[in-house]
Amino acid sequence: AEICARIVREDAGNIDALHLAAETAFGGGDHGQAIEWLRSGTAARPGDAGLHYKLGCVLEECGRTGEAVEAYRTVLELDPGFAKAHNNLGSLLQTRGLMGQALECFQAASRLDPQLWQPHYNIGNFHKLGGRLDLAVRPYQEAVRLKRPAGPADPRSEPTFSMTSRSKLLHDIEQLEYLMERGILTRAYGATVDAYREALDVLSGAFQRGHMARFPSLLLARVAPAYNRLVNFYDAQRIAGPAVNPALDRARIEADYFRNGPGIVYVDDLLTPQALHELRRFCLESTVWFDYRYSDGYLGAYVEEGFVCRLLEQIAAELPRALPGIFGANAITHLWGYKYDSSLSGISIHGDFAAVNVNFWITPDEANLAPGTGGLVVWDQEAPADWDFETYNKDVRKIQGFLDATGAKAVTVPHRQNRAVIFNSDLFHKTDAFRFRPGYQNRRINITMLYGHRAGQ
């Protein structure tokens, strides 16, 4: 670092030394020095778009967004074809509420560099935040295809490519074997399964010490082409008829929702048989279960990271039309799925920031070894309006203390295939204890759709 600093002092336009000096200073926490090095570089070489871009990135990381905007604008004056600068500028403009300009930036970035996944991701987020999931489906799908392609790739490009967990490996072994048995994947993926099994053995000691572990380098080289990548995607399309069951007793459902305290009701036979069948195919066949950070062993898949298709968008759009008294004008804001290890536990008590929460299950009833359990527990006391997200979503001790102090009553809804629990999202809830049969198709799967925003948020 000192050598680079000396070189830069003697030759302010030395690009390699400037970048290394700035990165060393930034990595060491001296953000001001990093910015100073880069500003000296842009002064010495005002026409270097790359230096201005690096300056913008560092300023953005430091929270100096106004200066970052100016740096990115300078980049684009010098090089209008600089795709990453368009994308980064769009993100900052969006945080300032300049939505139209932000979208133009994202679209320009995706046109200029079609292989850049971030603009597609940002376009998807833009439309989802605007309540237009229909317009978000394609960009989200394109983003995950570009970000997580199967085949030769650098596992250092994404943190989740080089770490793993026991439950993640067990799930992926089952899923790959399932796909090979059905001829969806070739038997060549057997080598990947073998590498996953070897990783389970090699990392067994590490998994006893902690939930996650890093792949050894030799194993990482073997699993990298497939691990946490879009190996297969079943793109479930909209069905010709309704996806939400048109025979639901809608008046009774809405009346029960408002009769039960702050708002809770469960609905059986939520989806039509065709929609349920196609949704199960999507969840079983799509390798989108990328999130393994949860110590209880369940895996997450999110709309922004591939848990998205036209069928899910159709279901999300039909629900408010089916039950307008519950949903009102609230549009979908979040969508995800969780898949569970049948021998482990589920999600602890928490709340989700939204107006209405829809949680439904798609695993067959025969998989449930303890009928009457395995569903959802919801408490009938609304959370304090002034709690922030961290408290509301993660502080189990404070949540439990609040429920005890207010005398909240728990409502337990047992698991059943194609059953939905619809409730006021201000209510705390958790996964009920469950015991499901072993085997890939028996894994408990729940899908969550959130609508609207919490009052005052």
Side-chain angles (χ1 to χ4, degrees):
E2 182 55 38
I3 294 173
C4 289
R6 191 181 313 124
I7 293 172
V8 171
R9 281 193 290 269
E10 295 172 359
D11 178 9
N14 189 309
I15 297 298
D16 293 336
L18 266 171
H19 280 295
L20 187 54
E23 286 173 8
T24 303
F26 189 81
D30 192 349
H31 300 166
Q33 181 62 70
I35 292 169
E36 186 177 326
W37 287 130
L38 290 168
R39 287 207 185 280
S40 70
T42 57
R45 301 184 61 150
D48 191 315
L51 270 178
H52 287 281
Y53 176 74
K54 184 72 173 181
L55 174 61
C57 292
V58 172
L59 288 166
E60 185 176 353
E61 283 287 326
C62 295
R64 294 164 64 169
T65 56
E67 294 169 86
V69 165
E70 292 309 309
Y72 292 139
R73 290 197 188 280
T74 300
V75 173
L76 296 176
E77 289 173 5
L78 295 169
D79 182 2
F82 204 125
K84 289 184 178 180
H86 279 286
N87 179 71
N88 291 13
L89 176 60
S91 295
L92 294 180
L93 294 176
Q94 187 169 7
T95 63
R96 294 179 164 199
L98 301 172
M99 309 305 282
Q101 293 180 42
L103 182 59
E104 289 175 3
C105 286
F106 299 145
Q107 291 171 335
S110 65
R111 284 195 306 270
L112 290 164
D113 186 353
Q115 298 306 305
L116 197 63
W117 66 265
Q118 291 91 340
H120 298 282
Y121 177 91
N122 287 332
I123 291 170
N125 274 343
F126 177 92
H127 290 305
K128 179 177 73 74
L129 289 170
R132 295 297 307 270
L133 185 60
D134 56 326
L135 297 180
V137 172
R138 186 171 179 179
Y140 274 150
Q141 289 182 343
E142 186 66 9
V144 75
R145 183 187 70 80
L146 292 168
K147 182 181 180 183
R148 298 179 180 272
D154 182 0
R156 295 170 299 179
S157 65
E158 160 65 38
T160 65
F161 289 153
S162 57
M163 299 288 290
T164 193
S165 71
R166 183 177 182 274
S167 55
K168 168 66 173 169
L169 290 171
L170 288 170
H171 168 271
D172 285 9
I173 288 168
E174 289 185 354
Q175 186 175 39
L176 291 176
E177 289 180 336
Y178 176 86
L179 294 171
M180 286 190 292
E181 287 167 4
R182 280 152 184 77
I184 297 169
L185 293 182
T186 69
R187 285 290 168 181
Y189 277 93
T192 302
V193 170
D194 291 341
Y196 287 1
R197 292 192 189 282
E198 187 176 340
L200 276 172
D201 182 54
V202 170
L203 296 173
S204 59
F207 290 147
Q208 289 176 3
R209 295 189 296 272
H211 169 57
M212 295 190 295
R214 187 174 299 279
F215 280 109
S217 56
L218 291 178
L219 270 175
L220 182 58
R222 290 170 57 193
V223 304
Y227 178 72
N228 243 12
R229 298 186 180 278
L230 200 64
V231 171
N232 188 67
F233 187 75
Y234 181 69
D235 193 5
Q237 299 297 312
R238 295 178 66 94
I239 60 178
V244 174
N245 183 1
L248 295 177
D249 187 344
R250 303 178 182 200
R252 181 194 62 77
I253 292 167
E254 292 186 346
D256 286 350
Y257 179 87
F258 291 104
R259 186 180 300 119
N260 294 326
I264 178 172
V265 67
Y266 70 85
V267 179
D268 285 329
D269 302 316
L270 176 73
L271 305 178
T272 59
Q274 184 184 0
L276 177 62
H277 172 79
E278 287 293 291
L279 189 54
R280 265 189 66 75
R281 281 198 65 180
F282 172 79
C283 290
L284 291 173
E285 296 181 16
S286 300
T287 60
V288 296
W289 303 90
F290 302 128
D291 189 1
Y292 51 83
R293 61 196 151 116
Y294 306 105
S295 59
D296 292 319
Y298 55 90
L299 303 181
Y302 303 93
V303 63
E304 300 90 348
E305 281 266 25
F307 194 75
V308 62
C309 58
R310 289 295 173 193
L311 176 58
L312 278 168
E313 180 264 315
Q314 180 181 3
I315 295 166
E318 287 185 11
L319 276 168
R321 294 199 294 267
L323 301 166
I326 294 174
F327 290 89
N330 289 307
I332 189 165
T333 53
H334 296 289
L335 165 64
W336 65 78
Y338 287 132
K339 195 185 288 188
Y340 298 78
D341 185 312
S342 300
S343 63
L344 297 176
S345 58
I347 304 171
S348 60
I349 187 168
H350 68 288
D352 297 308
F353 259 40
V356 181
N357 189 312
V358 181
N359 195 300
F360 63 97
W361 307 298
I362 63 172
T363 304
D365 296 340
E366 311 85 72
N368 188 354
L369 292 172
T373 69
L376 197 69
V377 181
V378 185
W379 280 263
D380 64 355
Q381 180 67 45
E382 291 181 286
D386 60 347
W387 280 17
D388 61 18
F389 178 77
E390 287 297 310
T391 304
Y392 186 86
N393 190 255
K394 298 177 181 178
D395 193 336
V396 174
R397 181 177 297 181
K398 188 167 184 177
I399 293 169
Q400 191 62 62
F402 167 76
L403 294 175
D404 292 343
T406 57
K409 302 282 193 303
V411 178
T412 300
V413 181
H415 176 279
R416 181 172 169 180
Q417 185 182 36
N418 209 13
R419 169 177 284 174
V421 188
I422 304 174
F423 56 98
N424 175 346
S425 205
D426 260 350
L427 303 181
F428 292 110
H429 53 285
K430 72 172 184 178
T431 307
D432 191 15
F434 63 88
R435 189 163 61 92
F436 277 46
R437 295 183 189 279
Y440 182 63
Q441 295 185 71
N442 295 320
R443 284 177 176 263
R444 182 184 185 275
I445 300 175
N446 80 264
I447 295 165
T448 298
M449 295 179 172
L450 301 184
Y451 290 80
H453 301 279
R454 193 174 184 222
Q457 302 299 318

